[in-house]
Amino acid sequence: MIEVFILAIALSMDAFAVAIGLGATKQRGKVAHLGIIVALYFGLFQGVMPIIGYLGGKGLLSWAESYTPWIAFLLLFLIGAKMIYESFAEGIEEDISKITHRVLLILAIATSIDAMAAGFSLTLLPVNPFIACLIIGSITFCFSWLGVLVGTKGGTWLESKAELLGGITLILMSIKILITA
């Protein structure tokens, strides 16, 4: 179960970084309201997308069972490398002039694509995938809400560091999967 928590925290770092950027826009309205809305969008999508990856992984497992650890390693490693790369690039949050439900939907989907790919690794863990997805969604909800609050207080310096930490964690998890296979 500890691996699920580590995976959830690593995956939520992308949403956390985007939430910091959204909080930094300091648009009109209550910060708490913005935090809850952002957290709901990101938490819901981060919780649902891994189940899609899990189901795809189960279908793939039937014909590629001997390659499963390598596939999980490759997916987690690539997601981690992408997060590390993005930690050095500018985020798209600076380009957002108004936070709308459409913008939040697009950002929630964009930040949860990685979670869908990482959901494949759930086929290798001895855990109920629905509970794992509930944990992933809940942790992402909390980090996203916290990210908006940090962003409103001027904590944008933490944005890239969160993505960097998440990427490194996913790469380490990918290596662990390969070693223990």
Side-chain angles (χ1 to χ4, degrees), residues 77-98:
F77 188 88
L78 289 174
I79 294 167
K82 177 181 161 277
M83 286 178 73
I84 291 170
Y85 172 77
E86 288 175 351
S87 74
F88 295 105
E90 290 294 320
I92 79 164
E93 306 83 43
E94 290 82 21
D95 299 333
I96 297 172
S97 60
K98 185 175 181 187

